[in-house]
Amino acid sequence: MRTFPPVDRKALEAGLKRLKLRCLRETLDELNELALEEEPSYLDFIAYIVDQEVKAREETQRQKRLQAARFPFLRTLDGFDFRFQTSVRRQTILDLAHLDFIKRRENVVLLGPPGVGKTHLAVALGIEAVNAGFSVIFNTVHDLVDRLYKALADDTVTAAMNRILRHDLIILDELGYLELDTTGSDLLYQLVAKAYEKRSLIVTSNLDFGEWGELFDKPSTAAAVLDRLLHYAHVISLRGDSYRVRHRLAPPHAEGG
Ligand code: ADP
Ligand code: MG
């Protein structure tokens, strides 16, 4: 029997399907033409198609992570105007974008009034993390507490919490727009405590730390949250005018801020 019988196209495609080599299956004819045209060595050709397949698969995974992160909008660092927002140094944000803070399980806290770019920067760093292969989840504090509240009702709070905590980077947006009752305070504290030294958080808030006491049911809970959150944290205080007002943009999502 010959080692290389003439190709059976159907069998080849079935084999590629079985091996889940989708990129190769979908670009067979192009690859064939490319090889005829450029006449690479056999090994170079194999290396090329393996590389194409790996890249395609990585892109699929990236897209999946991007979807799973549930960002409210897709804004990037490239789209952030550091000439408008001068209270943060470009270098500081670009340093964070190297993502060592995620490897070190450190946190980022973005403070400032509405419209100064807190959510934009949180999302942009989140997208950098997704691109680098980290899993990310974006939540407003309101949605998160809501979800945990519901989980509490059907006794699945541990599972709900673990679903959040399995991500490398957890973004908690808009802390401060909602006052938390005892249960809400406790749920949020538990999450921050469980993430401590294990996961990275990006928290955005319109309140200064001094005002967090009023947000939680009691000052001691606020202190406990701050203690965990700030032990390893990069705190960035944004100031200035609202970009939204200045540029008359529609609010990106209903809760504003
Ligand atoms: P915050 O979360 O601080 O309330 P956002 O990040 O939601 O503000 O910003 C409001 C809107 O303005 C968003 O559409 C955001 O992309 C845009 N924006 C804010 N600051 C800048 C900036 N410096 N450069 C570009 N766009 C910005
Ligand atoms: Mg915001």
Side-chain angles (χ1 to χ4, degrees):
M1 201 182 86
R2 285 171 59 196
T3 312
F4 299 106
V7 63
D8 173 346
R9 180 73 186 228
K10 276 224 165 89
L12 173 57
E13 288 192 18
L16 291 173
K17 195 161 198 169
R18 175 130 189 259
L19 293 173
K20 298 187 164 66
L21 297 169
R22 202 179 77 187
C23 174
L24 182 49
R25 185 162 54 83
E26 286 174 354
T27 57
L28 263 184
D29 293 318
E30 288 155 54
L31 287 167
N32 190 35
E33 269 169 45
L34 187 69
L36 289 171
E37 211 170 283
E38 300 206 7
E39 300 182 350
S41 82
Y42 297 123
L43 203 57
D44 284 351
F45 187 56
I46 292 172
Y48 178 77
I49 57 181
V50 168
D51 187 50
Q52 293 295 102
E53 189 65 44
V54 167
K55 280 191 182 133
R57 235 181 252 197
E58 280 171 355
E59 177 55 20
T60 307
Q61 293 301 320
R62 191 187 75 85
Q63 287 293 343
K64 277 191 188 155
R65 287 195 305 277
L66 198 59
Q67 290 298 318
R70 292 196 263 123
F71 294 120
F73 50 54
L74 296 179
R75 298 279 150 83
T76 60
L77 289 180
D78 279 347
F80 195 78
D81 185 352
F82 286 92
R83 281 164 311 179
F84 180 80
Q85 179 45 266
T86 51
S87 63
V88 59
R89 281 177 58 232
R90 190 160 179 268
Q91 210 52 48
T92 306
I93 300 298
L94 293 185
D95 276 349
L96 288 175
H98 287 141
L99 307 174
D100 289 337
F101 78 96
I102 300 180
K103 288 176 208 143
R104 296 198 211 107
R105 300 345 179 201
E106 295 166 353
N107 304 323
V108 174
V109 183
L110 295 159
L111 303 175
V116 292
K118 300 183 298 296
T119 304
H120 186 134
L121 287 175
V123 168
L125 288 172
I127 291 174
E128 292 294 324
V130 162
N131 291 347
F134 292 109
S135 71
V136 180
I137 186 74
F138 181 103
N139 281 292
T140 63
V141 171
H142 179 275
D143 287 348
L144 179 92
V145 171
D146 216 40
R147 185 137 20 99
L148 292 177
Y149 240 109
K150 285 186 184 127
L152 206 57
D154 30 279
D155 213 15
T156 54
V157 76
T158 309
M161 200 126 352
N162 287 340
R163 259 199 305 281
I164 296 159
L165 287 163
R166 67 164 191 244
H167 295 90
D168 302 304
L169 175 63
I170 300 157
I171 300 175
L172 300 179
D173 196 30
E174 302 190 341
L175 184 71
Y177 286 99
L178 175 85
E179 272 188 33
L180 299 162
D181 62 9
T182 304
T183 310
S185 294
D186 186 53
L187 288 169
L188 193 60
Y189 165 72
Q190 273 187 51
L191 186 80
V192 172
K194 283 186 176 155
Y196 178 66
E197 290 187 332
K198 295 203 175 61
R199 296 289 181 249
S200 284
L201 303 174
I202 296 181
V203 178
T204 82
S205 179
N206 59 320
L207 302 179
D208 283 326
F209 295 131
E211 299 168 298
W212 285 28
E214 293 150 41
L215 192 67
F216 291 86
D217 65 325
K218 45 185 194 293
S220 61
T221 313
V225 167
L226 281 168
D227 186 58
R228 305 296 188 287
L229 190 65
L230 297 183
H231 191 183
Y232 306 102
H234 306 261
V235 179
I236 295 166
S237 288
L238 300 168
R239 296 279 163 259
D241 295 337
S242 165
Y243 189 92
R244 219 180 263 136
V245 172
R246 183 76 75 87
H247 296 260
R248 294 178 203 285
L249 290 175
H253 46 103
E255 284 131 75

